[in-house]
Amino acid sequence: MSASAAINGQGSRNALRAWRILVFGGIGALYLISLQVPALRETLAHLFAFPR
């Protein structure tokens, strides 16, 4: 494997890791904030509720 291929593979792996941290960190932050803010909790509950 060439050096550029190794660098590109590592870069894409780091980019995927950064996106995962961003997405799951955002979900975690919303959850923690919603524990203190009832209006946000209700909004999120309506947003993620299954349609009936």
Side-chain angles (χ1 to χ4, degrees):
M1 183 184 324
S2 70
S4 64
I7 291 171
N8 288 338
Q10 185 69 22
S12 65
R13 200 172 314 145
N14 286 340
L16 179 61
R17 184 174 183 214
W19 275 110
R20 263 191 238 151
I21 290 170
L22 183 68
V23 168
F24 289 110
I27 292 170
L30 270 178
Y31 172 72
L32 290 175
I33 293 169
S34 73
L35 292 176
Q36 302 298 320
V37 181
L40 178 61
R41 187 178 329 146
E42 290 178 20
T43 302
L44 291 173
H46 286 293
L47 183 65
F48 291 108
F50 290 109
R52 293 186 183 206

